[in-house]
Amino acid sequence: MSKNKLFTIALAIVIAFSFTLIVSDESSADVEMTDYKISGFTDVDAGNFTVYLDNTSSYPVKVDVIIKDADTGNIKAEKNDVEIPGQTDDYAVTLSFSYGTQGTYYVNIELWYPGDATPFDDSQKGIAIDVVHSIWKDSATYVAIVIVIIVIAVIAYLYMRGAPGRAAAKSDANVKTFTELENERRMKKSSSSPTKVEKYESSEKRTRRK
């Protein structure tokens, strides 16, 4: 292989490597974290940490978003190869993780260009996350629920058990005995037929007319 060909290949490699570094630097400079939102962290459930990114370039850029515990340096959550469209503001990237115990914890946010050895943005450090206590972690909550269920079941059982008696009592109230029917018949008969006094007065009036 001639010296000219070797020189040409070496020059092409240098140009390609330089172009890669330039694109990497431009991509890093064009993407930045503008805001974040924290929600839903309890000692039972995982919470959401949403990072908002801007891409001021005209082309899409891929980044890695990593959240680390500020005290231990352990990675709590990460999303790799997140592609942010060009000319985009407030591009939301949501990561979910948990701590498991109540308290205040601090995390660091790092933005990486895929393949780089160091983050291009690690300025967001010491962000506080308040993990609140959930009543569902208390055994007393479940005991109270069980008691309520038992009470409802007992009330329903007693009501259903007394239903036949109430139905029978209602039926008995609507049925008249033979004695009651006979008394009603006699009362109707006596009210419709004239009494002895009425018969006497009526007979006396007829006698006077004669």
Side-chain angles (χ1 to χ4, degrees), residues 35-112:
D35 200 0
Y36 61 86
K37 181 181 178 181
I38 302 171
S39 63
F41 282 90
T42 71
D43 52 6
V44 173
D45 300 319
N48 293 326
F49 196 112
T50 302
V51 178
Y52 297 95
L53 304 174
D54 285 357
N55 180 10
T56 59
S57 67
S58 58
Y59 48 84
V61 177
K62 288 185 178 181
V63 298
D64 297 338
V65 181
I66 300 177
I67 299 179
K68 293 183 177 180
D69 184 85
D71 295 329
T72 64
N74 296 330
I75 295 177
K76 297 298 296 182
E78 63 179 323
K79 279 194 175 181
N80 299 318
D81 295 328
V82 178
E83 186 172 294
I84 308 171
Q87 299 294 322
T88 300
D89 296 332
D90 295 333
Y91 186 85
V93 181
T94 300
L95 300 92
S96 298
F97 57 96
S98 64
Y99 271 100
T101 55
Q102 182 182 8
T104 301
Y105 301 88
Y106 298 90
V107 297
N108 300 332
I109 312 299
E110 295 180 356
L111 302 180
W112 293 66

Side-chain angles (χ1 to χ4, degrees), residues 135-136 138-153:
I135 61 172
W136 297 109
D138 297 335
S139 58
T141 302
Y142 297 97
V143 172
I145 293 174
V146 171
I147 292 174
V148 171
I149 293 174
I150 291 174
V151 170
I152 294 174

